[in-house]
Amino acid sequence: MKFSVSQSSLEQALSIVGKGMASNSTLPILSGIYLKVRQGTLTLEATDLTISIRHETPANVEEEGEVVVSGKILANIVKTLSNAAVTFRDEGSLLTITCEKSTFRLNTLESSDFPEFPQYSLERSIELPSDLLTRMVDKVYRVTSRDSSRPVLGGVLLSVVDNTIRLVATDSYRLAICDSNTETSTSEEEFVTLVAGTTLHEVLTMPSLEGRILIGTTQSQVVFSFGTTTYVARRIEGTFPNYKQLLPSSCNTSVTIDVEGFSAALKRVSVIALANPSVRFDIDADGKVMKLSASSPDQGESTELLPVEVTGESVAIALNYHYVFDCVNAASNERQITLELQSTMQPGIFKSYGRINYLYLLMPVRM
């Protein structure tokens, strides 16, 4: 095997497939990257047996072949090279890498031991605009649970029907929903799948992402395809919670809040809330004021008044300010956000409207 490839395209390719390498596996082959050259194309693959990533890039191929080397070492080498042609030559148990005046010889692993890239036949698929989907995922993926014993709550429910995309995520303490309309490739039938939130975010931050992304499913896999990159992950087994039953049909109090002012005030008030992450919201319907307050037995207390538009009754509620910040950050591109309340001990619901409609339901904490 002998080929050469530009340093810049090789570095990007390694950053893509490197996300699929196993970090703590007892099998050395899973920490490797599989390289194969055929007919002017370099194919790179990596897998941790849960996800598998394949990426192709043009190369000047003199001799076809395949090899597996340590992904971490190869990536570290390529990052240090100048932006010039990088030449690879397989010499049995060694892979020689040269770039200008630099030469490296790496031990290779047995390519026949590398797991075969998953074969699949898509049962359902849809093509979506990458930019819009990325913005939507940014609003919900942080709400997914990190509890490995409840994998369903680590997923984002993706549904598309009548050209409406909806993403839903929950960790049982809060719920995030966003909707948007766009032209899709779906048929009249609804497309629904449950994808790990970390997987969605990882795929949509890849440097090879193009204008549109194909998402497909099999009985046990979810497949993402764009350009010359293919990402295959296991589907999450289980049923997503019936989130619609949590959404009230009306509210007793609606508060319209300036996002920028609210974010700054919350940041100031929460400085006191070190041991107790609770911030109290007192809504004065008559005075059109929302008071934010926090207290700590060791540190003291803080308060701040914000002018707001209020419809309905005066009410008070306490919320975890870490969770509120996640909501504010997700709505940071909007000028205003609405807080809808039922009572002190019922969930607070933040909403914003725009190109992407956003809803964030948050369970109250004891005052």
Side-chain angles (χ1 to χ4, degrees):
M1 180 182 77
K2 184 179 180 182
F3 69 95
S4 59
V5 62
S6 73
Q7 183 272 344
S8 57
S9 61
L10 180 59
E11 184 176 9
Q12 175 173 295
L14 290 169
S15 72
I16 294 167
V17 298
K19 295 179 181 293
M21 291 191 309
S23 55
N24 298 310
S25 176
T26 56
L27 299 174
I29 196 75
L30 297 183
S31 63
I33 288 182
Y34 171 80
L35 308 174
K36 180 177 73 173
V37 282
R38 296 281 191 281
Q39 300 178 344
T41 299
L42 166 63
T43 301
L44 303 92
E45 295 179 11
T47 183
D48 64 2
L49 301 183
T50 300
I51 63 172
S52 299
I53 305 174
R54 170 190 284 164
H55 179 75
E56 296 179 348
T57 192
N60 180 18
V61 180
E62 295 184 36
E63 296 177 14
E64 297 183 346
E66 57 189 32
V67 70
V68 178
V69 293
S70 166
K72 184 176 181 180
I73 296 297
L74 180 59
N76 288 339
I77 288 173
V78 173
K79 285 178 184 177
T80 66
L81 300 176
S82 57
N83 189 11
V86 184
T87 300
F88 291 75
R89 184 194 299 272
D90 183 16
E91 299 175 342
S93 61
L94 291 175
L95 179 67
T96 300
I97 305 170
T98 57
C99 179
E100 295 185 327
K101 297 181 180 180
S102 302
T103 301
F104 303 85
R105 289 183 175 85
L106 301 185
N107 294 328
T108 62
L109 301 169
E110 186 59 53
S111 58
S112 61
D113 292 338
F114 195 82
E116 184 179 354
F117 197 79
Q119 302 296 309
Y120 57 85
S121 177
L122 298 181
E123 299 171 354
R124 306 282 306 284
S125 65
I126 190 169
E127 194 176 82
L128 299 174
S130 302
D131 180 61
L132 176 61
L133 188 60
T134 299
R135 290 166 55 199
M136 294 178 71
V137 170
D138 282 344
K139 291 180 180 291
V140 303
Y141 89 96
R142 291 182 181 86
V143 177
T144 56
S145 174
R146 300 296 184 264
D147 185 354
S148 58
S149 66
R150 306 177 72 185
V152 168
L153 298 185
V156 173
L157 185 67
L158 165 65
S159 65
V160 184
V161 62
D162 295 332
N163 288 336
T164 297
I165 308 172
R166 168 169 283 193
L167 300 183
V168 186
T170 182
D171 61 3
S172 77
Y173 299 104
R174 51 196 174 147
L175 168 72
I177 305 172
C178 60
D179 294 315
S180 190
N181 293 316
T182 188
E183 289 292 327
T184 69
S185 63
T186 188
S187 62
E188 296 180 3
E189 196 174 3
E190 184 178 24
F191 178 91
V192 181
T193 188
L194 183 60
V195 187
T198 51
T199 294
L200 265 179
H201 180 254
E202 193 170 78
V203 169
L204 292 167
T205 54
M206 284 187 169
S208 60
L209 190 65
E210 297 193 349
R212 297 184 73 81
I213 182 171
L214 177 76
I215 304 175
T217 59
T218 70
Q219 189 172 2
S220 60
Q221 301 162 314
V222 58
V223 179
F224 302 89
S225 180
F226 45 92
T228 59
T229 302
T230 304
Y231 187 116
V232 182
R234 290 180 185 170
R235 286 183 69 174
I236 296 176
E237 297 182 2
T239 303
F240 197 78
N242 181 10
Y243 66 93
K244 293 182 180 179
Q245 67 182 5
L246 301 174
L247 305 177
S249 58
S250 61
C251 69
N252 296 324
T253 306
S254 177
V255 188
T256 303
I257 308 167
D258 175 77
V259 172
E260 185 177 355
F262 176 49
S263 177
L266 184 63
K267 188 175 295 183
R268 288 188 289 269
V269 169
S270 63
V271 169
I272 293 295
L274 297 176
N276 176 18
S278 170
V279 169
R280 177 171 170 144
F281 293 64
D282 284 278
I283 314 299
D284 182 351
D286 296 327
K288 307 291 185 183
V289 169
M290 179 172 71
K291 183 174 77 171
L292 304 180
S293 59
S295 63
S296 167
D298 299 325
Q299 306 300 328
E301 61 182 35
S302 58
T303 63
E304 181 148 351
L305 300 178
L306 280 175
V308 292
E309 291 296 323
V310 184
T311 302
E313 307 168 358
S314 296
V315 66
I317 191 171
L319 301 171
N320 183 312
Y321 77 86
H322 295 296
Y323 293 164
V324 178
F325 267 129
D326 283 345
C327 170
V328 172
N329 290 335
S332 60
N333 292 328
E334 306 298 332
R335 189 172 65 87
Q336 292 181 327
I337 193 169
T338 301
L339 172 60
E340 296 182 355
L341 300 171
Q342 300 290 315
S343 69
T344 298
M345 295 311 298
Q346 289 181 283
I349 299 178
F350 292 90
K351 293 181 179 180
S352 68
Y353 302 94
R355 177 69 177 89
I356 300 171
N357 298 321
Y358 181 62
L359 180 150
Y360 188 92
L361 180 149
L362 182 54
M363 299 300 293
V365 295
R366 191 176 300 276
M367 290 194 290

